[in-house]
Amino acid sequence: MWTKNQSLIDDFILLGFSDWPWLETPLFVIFLVAYIFALFGNISIIIVSQLDPKLDSPMYFFVSNLSLLDLCYTTSTVPQMLVNLRGPEKTISYGGCVAQLYIFLALGSTECILLAIMAFDRFAAICKPLHYPIIMSQRRCIHMATGTWISGFANSLVQSTLTVIAPRCGQRIIDHFFCEVPALLKLACSDTTVNEAELNVLGALLLLVPLSLILGTYVFIAQAVLKLHSAESRWKAFNTCASHLLVVFLFYFTAISMYVQPPSSYSHDRGKIMALFYGIVTPTLNPFIYTLRNKDVKAALRRALTKEFWVKIR
């Protein structure tokens, strides 16, 4: 009994959308549908990228990594959110909260770096086409992807530790629908200026440095595209990069607005909206952005629906 009571004391209460109880049922349906679409879209891209020989290229290797990230990203928060929206108990254990914080930060950090690597891949393909197979060899791609995941999880270890060590003096009501840095720091009962400064520096480095590299890379890509004599070649190059640029915009716009600011100036309602955007909307849209604008992926998905595709794999 004491253990159960102690566990209840240690649990966090996630307010989520308690201020708008009439919204909980519609939001449950919307989030469930979005989660199903995210699962279906991202799993489909992972499967066809791995099995279809026509998608055996560095670009689709990194796209499948992005889909795996988005798949884990939504799974780290949405199931808990759905349980809280439908159930009377809107709680999460201390261990569950710390794990959710760590995984969510790790995946977000990894995506920051991965999007920069994907921009470099497009730069190599368009600006250095003759050297592209050497620059983006299979071994180098695997090393880059592995380094990206390790860097993301290492950064998350630092950021989540800086967040969790702040004393809360028994406060356990989180005005959010999952455990996130700004919302958790709001519970602190001591001066968190140092924690905030360190987190801001890490956030700025992880968001602004890759974004600067991406923008710089696309300056060189734009210059190379404008030198192409064929309008068809220019359009093909633009179309190849457009999907990536749209994904970059959706992810970085919301992430920067949340993490490159002092948590003390954090607004609960704005934080929830932004978190919904980069935690659910973006991972759900990403696979459809890549498929709707990409003839190769659409063709691969059509082939995957045929019996002959699966016969060849056997």
Side-chain angles (χ1 to χ4, degrees), residues 96-309:
C97 184
V98 172
Q100 187 180 70
L101 174 70
Y102 175 71
I103 293 169
F104 192 79
L105 278 174
L107 296 170
S109 304
T110 304
E111 185 157 347
C112 288
I113 305 169
L114 181 62
L115 290 173
I117 289 176
M118 292 172 76
F120 175 75
D121 171 65
R122 292 299 82 212
F123 164 78
I126 294 171
C127 301
K128 307 285 183 182
L130 298 179
H131 298 95
Y132 181 67
I134 299 171
I135 296 172
M136 301 301 290
S137 64
Q138 185 180 31
R139 184 178 178 183
R140 185 166 292 171
C141 287
I142 293 171
H143 287 169
M144 292 168 78
T146 304
T148 298
W149 284 84
I150 292 173
S151 300
F153 277 78
N155 171 75
S156 177
L157 184 61
V158 177
Q159 288 203 2
S160 55
T161 302
L162 288 170
T163 304
V164 171
I165 61 173
R168 298 184 306 278
C169 303
Q171 296 190 64
R172 58 193 189 97
I173 299 176
I174 302 174
D175 193 2
H176 211 300
F177 46 81
F178 68 92
C179 296
E180 196 177 29
V181 173
L184 283 170
L185 281 181
K186 276 286 186 181
L187 301 184
C189 59
S190 63
D191 184 16
T192 58
T193 304
V194 175
N195 303 60
E196 291 183 13
E198 291 171 341
L199 287 166
N200 266 335
V201 169
L202 286 171
L205 285 173
L206 201 67
L207 287 165
L208 299 181
V209 172
L211 181 59
S212 300
L213 292 173
I214 291 170
L215 295 177
T217 299
Y218 273 104
V219 169
F220 288 110
I221 290 174
Q223 290 174 346
V225 169
L226 291 174
K227 291 178 183 177
L228 296 173
H229 299 294
S230 167
E232 184 181 348
S233 299
R234 286 197 297 271
W235 172 250
K236 186 178 179 181
F238 168 77
N239 204 38
T240 303
C241 298
S243 299
H244 180 252
L245 277 172
L246 183 55
V247 169
V248 166
F249 173 78
L250 289 173
F251 178 79
Y252 276 97
F253 172 74
T254 50
I256 287 173
S257 67
M258 275 293 293
Y259 286 96
V260 186
Q261 64 165 337
S264 54
S265 64
Y266 171 74
S267 163
H268 291 297
D269 292 341
R270 178 170 164 271
K272 290 176 187 178
I273 293 169
M274 289 298 169
L276 282 176
F277 208 86
Y278 64 74
I280 299 177
V281 176
T282 302
T284 303
L285 290 179
N286 282 353
F288 297 99
I289 290 171
Y290 276 105
T291 53
L292 291 176
R293 295 193 58 86
N294 192 301
K295 292 180 181 179
D296 294 335
V297 177
K298 284 193 285 188
L301 288 170
R302 281 195 294 269
R303 285 194 295 272
L305 296 174
T306 63
K307 185 179 178 181
E308 291 78 10
F309 177 82

